[in-house]
């Protein structure tokens, strides 16, 4: 039995989408980060960093960090990560763009555009500019490729999609990024993506 610990966060939704794409049975356990439930002893026992998402599978230690979970599922299920070395390297490169740039920079921008009690313009402009830099990269890539890693849908797309869904966190509109908007609509039409974005049931960030 698999247990998925998450909430309505982009990093959690990466994992729930992947579980749905793989057609795997799992139990979704909500961890409300607004109520600071990620710091409960039961969660810290699974991830000493006190963060979600977490995946627990029989016979495996708890797996945390969304990128690690995506790679684990891709490898164990032989899904959405090419075996060809060149294609695999390209997929992993774009996965890392989503993991190390798109997600963290959008999160930082969200802090300065919405969450911070004080919103200095310099901080807002700097962090939004960093997100725009990633969007320029993705726009250029998706102008000539249907998916981030090339012809085929992959874990790179799964890692990016929930963060692009939060483009408003960086005060951006997809109307200004037509290639990203095309990709976003196509990925968002996948039934597994639609299901994954609704897990855990009833989870909200507001």
């Amino acid at each position: 039995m698999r247990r998925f610990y998450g909430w309505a966060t982009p990093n959690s939704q990466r994992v729930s989408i992947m579980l749905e794409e793989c057609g795997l049975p799992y139990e979704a356990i909500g961890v409300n980060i607004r109520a600071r439930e990620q710091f409960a002893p039961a969660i810290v026992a699974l991830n000493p960093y006190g963060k979600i998402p977490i995946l627990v599978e029989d016979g495996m230690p708890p797996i945390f960090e969304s990128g690690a979970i995506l790679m684990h599922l891709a490898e164990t299920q032989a899904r959405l990560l090419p075996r060809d070395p060149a294609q695999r390297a390209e997929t992993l490169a774009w996965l890392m763009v989503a993991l190390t740039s798109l997600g963290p920079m959008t999160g930082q921008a969200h802090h300065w555009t919405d969450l911070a009690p004080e919103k200095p313009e310099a901080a807002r402009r700097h962090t939004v500019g960093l997100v725009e830099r990633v969007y320029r990269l993705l726009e250029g890539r998706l102008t000539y490729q249907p998916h981030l890693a090339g012809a085929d849908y992959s874990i790179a797309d799964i890692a990016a999609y929930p963060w692009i869904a939060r483009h408003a966190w960086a005060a951006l509109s997809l109307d200004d990024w037509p290639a990203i908007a095309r990709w976003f609509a196509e990925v968002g039409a996948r039934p597994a993506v639609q299901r994954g974005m609704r897990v855990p049931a009833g989870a909200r960030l507001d």
Side-chain angles (χ1 to χ4, degrees):
M1 183 62 188
R2 293 174 184 83
R3 299 192 305 279
F4 159 64
Y5 296 79
W7 197 241
T9 68
N11 287 348
S12 292
Q13 289 164 339
R14 289 168 168 171
V15 175
S16 53
I17 289 171
M18 185 65 176
L19 288 165
E20 294 291 339
E21 290 284 7
C22 292
L24 296 171
Y26 65 96
E27 177 187 5
I29 300 170
V31 181
N32 187 342
I33 65 169
R34 291 289 188 253
R36 299 178 63 82
E37 291 177 357
Q38 71 271 33
F39 300 116
I43 301 302
V44 174
L46 299 174
N47 179 0
Y49 204 179
K51 291 173 58 179
I52 54 170
I54 304 166
L55 183 68
V56 177
E57 295 182 325
D58 290 343
M60 293 287 295
I63 308 169
F64 48 89
E65 294 296 328
S66 61
I69 299 172
L70 288 180
M71 292 183 65
H72 164 74
L73 291 173
E75 290 171 347
T76 57
Q77 302 301 313
R79 294 286 306 276
L80 302 168
L81 180 60
R83 293 181 178 273
D84 174 79
Q87 294 177 352
R88 181 185 178 88
E90 190 166 30
T91 302
L92 292 177
W94 288 98
L95 172 65
M96 294 305 145
V97 170
L99 296 179
T100 67
S101 296
L102 177 62
M105 292 174 185
T106 304
Q108 285 294 311
H110 185 216
H111 178 78
W112 294 113
T113 61
D114 185 38
L115 300 179
E118 298 181 4
K119 301 176 177 61
E121 180 57 27
R124 181 186 185 281
R125 186 168 56 249
H126 175 71
T127 54
V128 169
L130 291 175
V131 180
E132 288 176 332
R133 181 185 178 192
V134 183
Y135 273 55
R136 286 194 294 272
L137 174 66
L138 301 184
E139 181 73 12
R141 176 68 170 175
L142 293 170
T143 297
Y144 300 103
Q145 298 287 345
H147 299 98
L148 289 178
D152 297 326
Y153 176 71
S154 74
I155 56 173
D157 301 291
I158 292 173
Y161 179 86
W163 282 102
I164 296 294
R166 296 341 194 269
H167 54 270
W169 285 4
L172 299 179
S173 169
L174 293 189
D175 291 342
D176 299 322
W177 309 92
I180 295 175
R182 183 271 308 162
W183 166 89
F184 183 74
E186 291 177 3
V187 173
R190 296 177 67 90
V193 173
Q194 295 173 5
R195 292 192 302 270
M197 290 293 286
R198 296 192 296 266
V199 177
R204 297 171 61 100
L205 277 181
D206 53 18

